[in-house]
Amino acid sequence: MILILTPDTDQQSSNYLRLIDHLNNLPSIEHRIHQERGAQQTLTEIYLIGDTHTLNLDEMSSLPCVERAVRISEEYRVLGRHKDDTRPTSFEYNGITFGQNNLNVFAGLCAVNTREHVEAMMKVLQENGQQCTRMGAYKPRTNPYSFQGFGKECLPYVFELAGKYGIKVVAMEITHESHIDEINEALEQTGNPTGVMLQIGTRNTQNFELLKIVGRQQRHPVLLKRGFGITLEESLNAAEYLASEGNSKVIFGLRGMKTNMGDPHRNFVDFAHVPVVKRLTRMPVCIDPSHSVGSRDLAPDNILDVMHVTAQGVIAGANMVLVDFHPEPKVALVDGPQALTLKELPYFLEDIRIARDAYEQRVALAKKHFN
Ligand code: PEP
Ligand code: MN
């Protein structure tokens, strides 16, 4: 059961202390307090764990400070959608809204190589009205002898350039807790010119200790990629690890499954799960067409497979597109063969707009049909 408290409940108030006292005296029930500090208000939710079926919903709703009590299933307590659950399906970060009803594009470099490439990328993003990007500094590589990313060395110029070109959020994979400190230090050093979305890659989806650490910090939102060889339920539980530790600003990323059944694509594209994740949880859903397809193969209709699958995800209601671009794919240090070029950005964005319009028309049609 979740107790949703009246916004801005003061944790020192006598009513709040009475509520906690009451909860402490419930037999076989533990509680966990979850606080969400927004720009406008602070929301407090209390999760009751244990023998909650013995509790009466009306009685719990009438306790001091409680606005609403919601009975929840065991699955995905914080991030799940539960019956009569009207908690938000969106959050804001650094002026950008991330939610189940809108769409943000994160086009950028799979891996940072030179300052010039970062600048060229950000400049073209600004020219095309974009405020988000992806920039890989820490790269988890299959081969220990492959380039591992420039790490903290490149962070200051990446953040400065983001500020210069009006980029509000940079999605950046981290593979170790020390990377969070390095990112925070570089942000301080450069005067916080941008925001960072911490990305947990598919190789770390079930790195529970990393998830707990990332979940305990509430400064940055998190993009959690689906594990490439585990069930959807296992990956959604991994997202719940982040939220259970306190950070529910989580976006769930579909990036394809590792199986030869997807050949010739690098991974088996799983964007049919966009509506499934939106039904089971309150998380916005991201698609990564680049790591799903892994090439620039072209279909007979002259449309790249990467763009076909992007449209498939967007027309199904995806909320974020994470996609590899590069000014000179031939010299890219990681994943050049799947990168789109800067010249292709306006075309790519226009193609996404067509798919998004079609999605919105489909939603309107469904509404008419069900009313
Ligand atoms: C990436 O986005 O750069 C990446 C390595 O993705 P994934 O974890 O999905 O392989
Ligand atoms: Mn990559």
Side-chain angles (χ1 to χ4, degrees):
M1 185 177 286
I2 314 176
L3 305 181
I4 298 166
L5 307 195
T6 331
D8 294 322
T9 291
D10 176 4
Q11 297 210 353
Q12 310 302 329
S13 68
S14 58
N15 272 348
Y16 181 81
L17 298 176
R18 266 173 49 218
L19 170 68
I20 299 299
D21 192 47
H22 182 85
L23 300 181
N24 282 337
N25 286 312
L26 292 175
S28 314
I29 289 176
E30 281 176 46
H31 67 265
R32 201 152 164 171
I33 299 166
H34 183 84
Q35 259 201 343
E36 197 77 48
R37 278 192 195 85
Q40 313 293 338
Q41 54 187 15
T42 298
L43 297 176
T44 307
E45 295 171 354
I46 302 185
Y47 290 81
L48 304 182
I49 304 158
D51 248 348
T52 53
H53 62 275
T54 57
L55 301 175
N56 177 297
L57 205 59
D58 290 337
E59 265 172 37
M60 298 308 287
S61 309
S62 59
L63 289 173
C65 304
V66 176
E67 188 176 86
R68 221 161 60 247
V70 180
R71 213 177 266 294
I72 54 170
S73 52
E74 288 304 295
E75 290 272 269
Y76 326 130
R77 283 187 190 153
V78 181
L79 293 173
R81 272 182 188 260
H82 308 290
K83 194 170 167 289
D84 302 323
D85 182 359
T86 54
R87 291 176 300 160
T89 55
S90 67
F91 62 85
E92 211 171 290
Y93 174 65
N94 211 27
I96 308 282
T97 301
F98 295 94
Q100 285 196 341
N101 294 322
N102 71 345
L103 175 65
N104 292 294
V105 178
F106 281 64
L109 307 181
C110 178
V112 169
N113 43 350
T114 66
R115 187 190 169 103
E116 289 66 33
H117 284 142
V118 173
E119 179 147 24
M121 184 72 232
M122 296 207 183
K123 188 164 175 289
V124 75
L125 285 168
Q126 186 182 50
E127 285 163 2
N128 285 278
Q130 299 301 299
Q131 294 184 297
C132 301
T133 189
R134 60 160 294 152
M135 287 286 151
Y138 308 97
K139 299 306 298 177
R141 305 303 302 280
T142 304
N143 184 333
Y145 306 110
S146 301
F147 170 66
Q148 306 281 312
F150 282 119
K152 70 173 179 187
E153 202 185 297
C154 68
L155 298 180
Y157 71 76
V158 168
F159 296 157
E160 268 165 21
L161 289 168
K164 178 172 173 191
Y165 292 100
I167 300 292
K168 301 271 184 222
V169 186
V170 180
M172 178 172 281
E173 178 164 0
I174 56 152
T175 57
H176 191 268
E177 58 182 291
S178 59
H179 300 159
I180 308 175
D181 299 330
E182 291 175 4
I183 287 171
N184 287 339
E185 276 162 31
L187 283 171
E188 294 314 319
Q189 189 194 326
T190 52
N192 293 302
T194 188
V196 174
M197 179 181 287
L198 302 176
Q199 182 179 326
I200 305 223
T202 197
R203 291 158 189 80
N204 276 314
T205 308
Q206 283 189 313
N207 183 341
F208 299 118
E209 296 311 314
L210 181 64
L211 294 175
K212 286 185 205 166
I213 288 161
V214 174
R216 271 178 224 135
Q217 66 78 43
Q218 293 196 3
R219 175 169 178 183
H220 308 286
V222 186
L223 167 63
L224 176 79
K225 294 273 198 95
R226 171 192 201 153
F228 57 56
I230 56 176
T231 64
L232 181 64
E233 188 186 342
E234 286 164 332
S235 291
L236 294 178
N237 268 303
E240 184 71 15
Y241 259 92
L242 295 161
S244 75
E245 293 292 333
N247 191 344
S248 48
K249 292 185 174 169
V250 184
I251 296 177
F252 189 78
L254 297 171
R255 48 80 72 208
M257 305 300 295
K258 198 185 226 9
T259 156
N260 290 344
M261 302 299 166
D263 290 357
H265 290 160
R266 181 173 174 181
N267 288 288
F268 196 95
V269 183
D270 55 352
F271 301 165
H273 278 163
V274 168
V276 179
V277 178
K278 288 168 83 174
R279 175 168 69 241
L280 293 174
T281 77
R282 298 181 293 123
M283 287 186 278
V285 182
C286 171
I287 53 165
D288 178 342
S290 306
H291 290 83
S292 298
V293 168
S295 73
R296 290 184 47 95
D297 287 344
L298 196 67
D301 53 17
N302 281 325
I303 299 174
L304 296 166
D305 287 9
V306 172
M307 290 181 57
H308 267 302
V309 303
T310 303
Q312 287 160 16
V314 171
I315 205 170
N319 308 111
M320 172 169 160
V321 178
L322 185 77
V323 56
D324 290 2
F325 272 73
H326 200 283
E328 289 178 75
K330 280 200 176 65
V331 303
L333 294 168
V334 184
D335 286 346
Q338 70 194 25
L340 300 180
T341 63
L342 303 192
K343 238 177 51 212
E344 286 170 323
L345 183 67
Y347 161 46
F348 181 74
L349 293 172
E350 180 60 21
D351 197 48
I352 289 183
R353 226 164 278 135
I354 293 171
R356 178 69 191 179
D357 284 350
Y359 169 69
E360 284 170 6
Q361 286 175 37
R362 293 177 61 225
V363 172
L365 179 66
K367 203 168 162 191
K368 216 164 81 188
H369 176 72
F370 279 105
N371 277 343

